[in-house]
Amino acid sequence: MSSLQALFGTALPIIQAPMAGANLSAMAIAVSEAGGLGSLPCAMLSPDQVRREVQTIRTATAKPFNLNFFCHTPPVPDRQREAAWLDRLRPYYREFGLDANAPAGGPTRGAFDEALCAVVEELRPPVVSFHFGLPPEPLLRRVKETGAKILSSATTVAEAAFLAEWCDAIIAQGLEAGGHRGMFLTADLDTQLGTLALVPAIVDAVTVPVIAAGGLADARGIAAALTLGAAAVQLGTAYLGCPESTISDLHRAALTGSAPTAITNVITGRPSRGIVNRLVREVGPISPLAPSFPNALPAILPLRAAAEARGSADFSPLWAGQAYPLSRALPAGALTRQLMTESLSILGGRRPAE
Ligand SMILES: Cc1cc2nc3c(=O)[nH]c(=O)nc-3n(C[C@H](O)[C@H](O)[C@H](O)COP(=O)(O)O)c2cc1C
């Protein structure tokens, strides 16, 4: 058993990536029951929703699970930038016959705060993972005091060195990864490495176990990551096609296509990898006009709703990693077991981290 499996109490070195908007308790339960580490993304949930989902998990399984939180610094509203952003999008509002001056609401992306910290203290999850760095030290100390194992994503060696002081293990998130880049010490996309280069660089730089993430969607990728020195893998895109995934039918259909992916800031304001659609192609992939995360989103939501009502994913977030053609429409538990059996067969029954 690798040090990481001992740390989490799981049978397999596979973590199902928390995917805000794409999974809830059903997927976490299926993966944890199969022997991996299931994750519940909490960035789009209220404290009460987190409580309900955790209760569902604990009713269904006694196995360990992970609660995941975003810990970005909430942006200072910038009216001028938000107005410029709306101006850039105005032609699309006209096309759909929408009023660009009507305020838009919708699901927010909340940062880990006092209320969510109190929920962690109350629920005492076995594992807590963060994205976009770590929360302020007083909150982090309180999470640590619950006994939860702490993880966070690093996209550079410098970020891994920063996290190593606090984290029980570090997720090395390569450039291929779907969803938001966890980058927090840099905003420069040129610093971002592919998984093949990032994992051994971080393994060499820190003493805590390293979890490889990004572009790993079948047994070949998992075996490669374990061979590079990762103690475990964290897979997101591989699970998107599972029946437990909560993505829209339009998102699911896009996964069966062959459009390229790109890292874009035009949906939330923060770089995130998804399948290229009209919005990303015409306004991005990177726009200097996009307000800071998550303030680009409110202006996108009415366009998304109008397009989706016409059966189009032109303005939808289609988060997916570069390896999305490898994702399989299997139940999440069966997929977890199959990925592990196939990886072990490639590795000749030997797990390099053992
Ligand atoms: C649809 C989607 C949503 C994601 N949401 C989150 C999230 O809420 N929290 C998080 O820590 N990571 C999130 N990620 C990133 C994953 O943790 C992980 O880095 C990534 O999925 C690994 O690359 P892969 O998609 O190629 O497997 C998301 C990824 C995807 C594909």
Side-chain angles (χ1 to χ4, degrees):
M1 185 185 282
S2 78
S3 54
L4 205 77
Q5 289 154 261
L7 192 68
F8 297 153
T10 58
L12 306 175
I14 295 185
I15 300 172
Q16 164 252 314
M19 296 185 285
N23 89 274
L24 286 167
S25 51
M27 186 181 287
I29 292 165
V31 174
S32 287
E33 270 296 287
L37 184 69
S39 302
L40 179 72
C42 301
M44 289 166 67
L45 303 182
S46 68
D48 270 345
Q49 286 171 317
V50 175
R51 280 191 192 93
R52 277 199 294 276
E53 289 296 304
V54 168
Q55 194 179 3
T56 306
I57 293 174
R58 286 199 158 127
T59 306
T61 181
K63 302 272 175 66
F65 61 93
N66 165 37
L67 290 192
N68 170 260
F69 301 93
F70 285 179
C71 46
H72 54 285
T73 308
V76 182
D78 180 341
R79 282 178 191 284
Q80 233 176 342
R81 194 150 165 210
E82 277 147 33
W85 182 231
L86 208 50
D87 267 350
R88 174 65 188 89
L89 299 173
R90 215 172 281 278
Y92 302 114
Y93 274 78
R94 269 198 296 275
E95 185 182 320
F96 286 111
L98 295 169
D99 179 2
N101 299 314
T108 53
R109 309 288 188 277
F112 191 70
D113 59 6
E114 171 62 41
L116 288 167
C117 191
V119 171
V120 168
E121 288 173 318
E122 173 193 326
L123 299 174
R124 306 180 82 82
V127 183
V128 171
S129 73
F130 294 108
H131 212 43
F132 313 138
L134 290 169
E137 198 173 316
L139 295 182
L140 185 57
R141 281 195 191 284
R142 284 168 55 187
V143 175
K144 249 192 160 2
E145 276 160 22
T146 68
K149 304 298 175 210
I150 296 183
L151 315 177
S152 184
S153 298
T155 67
T156 62
V157 171
E159 288 178 349
F162 176 93
L163 295 176
E165 194 187 330
W166 292 97
C167 293
D168 296 282
I170 290 170
I171 303 155
Q173 190 197 34
L175 195 56
E176 302 90 327
H180 285 95
R181 309 274 328 127
M183 54 205 297
F184 61 95
L185 291 183
T186 176
D188 179 1
L189 283 170
D190 286 339
T191 62
Q192 304 290 285
L193 302 177
T195 303
L196 199 62
L198 183 67
V199 170
I202 293 183
V203 166
D204 288 347
V206 299
T207 51
V208 292
V210 175
I211 299 157
L216 314 174
D218 71 6
R220 293 167 294 184
I222 296 172
L226 297 179
T227 305
L228 290 172
V233 292
Q234 173 161 303
L235 274 49
T237 299
Y239 285 102
L240 282 178
C242 296
E244 293 90 344
S245 131
T246 57
I247 59 174
S248 67
D249 290 344
L250 288 168
H251 194 165
R252 216 175 272 278
L255 293 172
T256 63
S258 56
T261 68
I263 292 178
T264 182
N265 70 344
V266 300
I267 292 174
T268 65
R270 223 182 153 108
S272 188
R273 186 179 292 283
I275 297 172
V276 173
N277 59 7
R278 184 176 167 204
L279 173 66
V280 174
R281 199 169 41 246
E282 293 181 4
V283 182
I286 298 293
S287 167
L289 298 175
S292 299
F293 179 87
N295 287 354
L297 197 57
I300 299 296
L301 289 174
L303 300 173
R304 173 187 180 175
E308 288 187 355
R310 297 179 185 185
S312 156
D314 277 354
F315 293 85
S316 307
L318 299 174
W319 304 140
Q322 288 180 335
Y324 80 84
L326 296 176
S327 84
R328 291 179 243 178
L330 282 176
L335 177 62
T336 306
R337 283 187 291 268
Q338 188 168 327
L339 288 171
M340 204 59 228
T341 309
E342 291 171 4
S343 313
L344 285 177
S345 121
I346 294 175
L347 294 165
R350 173 191 57 92
R351 291 183 204 166
E354 278 174 336

